[in-house]
Amino acid sequence: MIQIKEVVIHRLTMPLQIRFETSFGVQTDRDLILIELLASDGTIGWGECVAAYRPYYNEETTDSAQAVLCNELIPLVFSRNFEHPSEFFPASAQVRGNRMAKFSIEGALWDIYAQQNKLSLSAAIGGKKLAVDVGVSIGIMPIEELLSEVENYKSQGYRRIKIKIKPGWDIEPVRIIREHFPNMPLMGDANCSYEKEDFETLRKLDKYELMMIEQPLAEHAWVDCAALQAQLNTPICLDESIHSLEDFDLAMHLKACRIVNVKLGRIGGIQAALELTKKARSANIALWSGGMLETGIGRAFNVALATLDGFTLPGDTAGSSRYWKPDIIDPEVVVENGQVKVPSTPGLGYAANRSKIELYQTIQKHFRKGKSDD
Ligand code: OSB
Ligand code: MG
């Protein structure tokens, strides 16, 4: 049984070690929230809210998530006990959307649950792999730099390379990368940037044998996406479109994709991911664990997610040092030969390092059950 008696919001600003440009903009740092839950038995659980400062990937922002946490989700977590973390997402149904905010609490409940039961997070959610295959997501940059980045990550053993594409930055980089790396598993992520008028361009990508094209069209462009998939040999992978099991059902019904990038924050947490995984397996849809430029805390969840059966493709979980100097966990996430070893210690398997968190912390808010915040 989990009874939460204290919650701490840690808000951090962390400079990124990479310049990350996508079709929706450039990111050079992260403004994020870490959630710390203290249970009545003394167990501490950590979660991460993957919302960004700007609502460019989805509607949530760090500020909106903080408001929803303070006004809704923290009072909710104090209002009852939880036999199991799977109870949290249904209990929060009255709060519409705001799935990234919800996952930051739900994830921390899973961390507590795993520790209480002396299970690694991976084991607690039913994962089996001892190591997970990872790829890397490379932003938009001049072609010479892109080629040397691809070479760099390939030599580090990453199992596939994802590049960001957008109208006007698609055939050219894909063609040139293919020339240099004819057999490398390669994919493009458009982050919603194409429209119906661009189908011909996207069809031209077929001959470069990409593993998939991720989220070519707008989040809600379901009908167009199904039409596009019918015209392409290359599988479409959906990211931004999939928020819920209902979205997944719609994608299946319309045959809008063959692959789904699962992000815990985008779908509302681990319980939602477990249910989606079950559906995907029976629908024969391949899954992989996506990334949102997480700190080590969020990264630990992404590693555990990838250990589930059904996660058959390399994820976006690059090593800590690619993003942060230093990361806020011990040990950092390390990629060796394109794999991350799955921790076997109870809980996340990576310890939050408070002095490193303090290096980046801009706001700390403390909540105690039965008291107003201070
Ligand atoms: O679309 O997958 C995406 C990062 C931020 C927001 C959206 C996306 C991404 C990435 C990077 O592609 C994944 C990572 O390295 O964490
Ligand atoms: Mg994506």
Side-chain angles (χ1 to χ4, degrees):
M1 200 265 298
I2 306 171
Q3 180 178 43
I4 300 302
K5 58 175 199 184
E6 289 180 40
V7 180
V8 187
I9 287 181
H10 302 265
R11 187 146 168 182
L12 277 57
T13 299
M14 296 178 69
L16 272 166
Q17 296 300 301
I18 46 168
R19 178 184 182 278
F20 196 69
E21 179 171 344
T22 66
S23 63
F24 60 78
V26 180
Q27 226 176 322
T28 53
D29 52 31
R30 289 277 286 116
D31 171 27
L32 61 100
I33 289 169
L34 297 179
I35 287 290
E36 181 184 359
L37 299 183
L38 175 63
S40 55
D41 67 354
T43 312
I44 291 173
W46 288 88
E48 175 166 342
C49 179
V50 301
Y53 180 72
R54 295 182 183 281
Y56 294 173
Y57 167 82
N58 70 342
E59 287 118 328
E60 289 187 80
T61 69
T62 324
D63 285 322
S64 75
Q66 186 171 323
V68 170
L69 283 160
C70 293
N71 301 341
E72 302 288 342
L73 303 176
I74 292 171
L76 169 65
V77 86
F78 284 146
S79 73
R80 51 168 284 180
N81 299 334
F82 296 87
E83 290 304 325
H84 191 271
S86 61
E87 294 163 12
F88 181 77
F89 188 67
S92 71
Q94 192 175 24
V95 176
R96 305 298 184 197
N98 292 287
R99 293 179 173 87
M100 292 175 167
K102 289 179 181 181
F103 166 55
S104 67
I105 300 266
E106 194 242 25
L109 289 172
W110 277 96
D111 183 16
I112 290 173
Y113 171 82
Q115 292 176 66
Q116 287 179 341
N117 292 280
K118 301 192 169 46
L119 294 168
S120 68
L121 181 64
S122 163
I125 67 175
K128 298 200 186 88
K129 299 177 193 116
L130 302 176
V132 298
D133 289 352
V134 296
V136 63
S137 171
I138 307 178
I140 294 169
M141 58 184 73
I143 190 69
E144 295 76 24
E145 287 174 41
L146 187 56
L147 280 173
S148 80
E149 283 291 90
V150 172
E151 176 56 45
N152 165 29
Y153 290 116
K154 184 174 173 262
S155 70
Q156 291 180 46
Y158 281 88
R159 302 280 165 120
R160 64 105 173 100
I161 304 283
K162 157 167 146 184
I163 64 163
K164 294 289 186 176
I165 57 172
K166 65 177 183 180
W169 183 254
D170 37 43
I171 313 269
E172 179 81 346
V174 168
R175 180 180 62 78
I176 296 174
I177 293 172
R178 261 289 168 257
E179 252 170 50
H180 288 76
F181 307 95
N183 303 315
M184 189 183 60
L186 178 66
M187 60 177 285
D189 184 359
N191 288 108
C192 306
S193 55
Y194 292 89
E195 296 181 2
K196 234 180 176 154
E197 293 64 43
D198 304 309
F199 283 15
E200 199 185 324
T201 306
L202 294 168
R203 276 202 303 270
K204 285 187 188 148
L205 286 173
D206 260 348
K207 73 170 181 203
Y208 300 103
E209 307 210 330
L210 299 178
M211 295 170 83
M212 67 194 93
I213 299 175
E214 185 176 340
Q215 196 68 43
L217 309 180
E219 184 182 337
H220 299 295
W222 288 106
V223 174
D224 287 347
C225 193
L228 178 62
Q229 180 66 91
Q231 296 176 27
L232 294 179
N233 294 326
T234 310
I236 290 178
C237 167
L238 288 178
D239 173 355
E240 283 90 330
S241 292
I242 307 287
H243 309 91
S244 62
L245 297 179
E246 292 79 8
D247 286 338
F248 182 82
D249 287 342
L250 184 55
M252 295 306 97
H253 183 72
L254 295 171
K255 298 186 167 47
C257 70
R258 298 187 201 137
I259 300 173
V260 172
N261 166 347
V262 183
K263 292 180 181 171
L264 293 164
R266 198 194 63 227
I267 63 173
I270 291 176
Q271 185 56 27
L274 293 174
E275 290 167 25
L276 190 145
T277 302
K278 206 167 142 193
K279 272 185 183 279
R281 292 189 71 190
S282 60
N284 217 0
I285 291 289
L287 303 177
W288 53 278
S289 175
M292 290 292 289
L293 310 173
E294 286 89 348
T295 77
I297 301 288
R299 209 159 287 280
F301 287 95
N302 296 348
V303 169
L305 178 67
T307 65
L308 295 174
D309 286 346
F311 283 70
T312 51
L313 295 166
D316 264 349
T317 314
S320 292
S321 65
R322 179 184 182 234
Y323 309 85
W324 320 115
K325 215 173 156 176
D327 200 345
I328 52 155
I329 48 161
D330 296 316
E332 297 201 344
V333 173
V334 178
V335 173
E336 251 176 29
N337 192 24
Q339 291 193 313
V340 175
K341 288 205 177 76
V342 180
S344 54
T345 47
L348 299 187
Y350 302 90
N353 181 315
R354 288 181 193 277
S355 57
K356 287 177 184 162
I357 288 173
E358 256 169 46
L359 292 174
Y360 302 114
Q361 189 164 280
T362 54
I363 298 170
Q364 177 171 317
K365 281 170 86 72
H366 208 127
F367 303 80
R368 286 178 185 79
K369 186 172 175 151
K371 297 201 182 123
S372 55
D373 62 301
D374 52 75

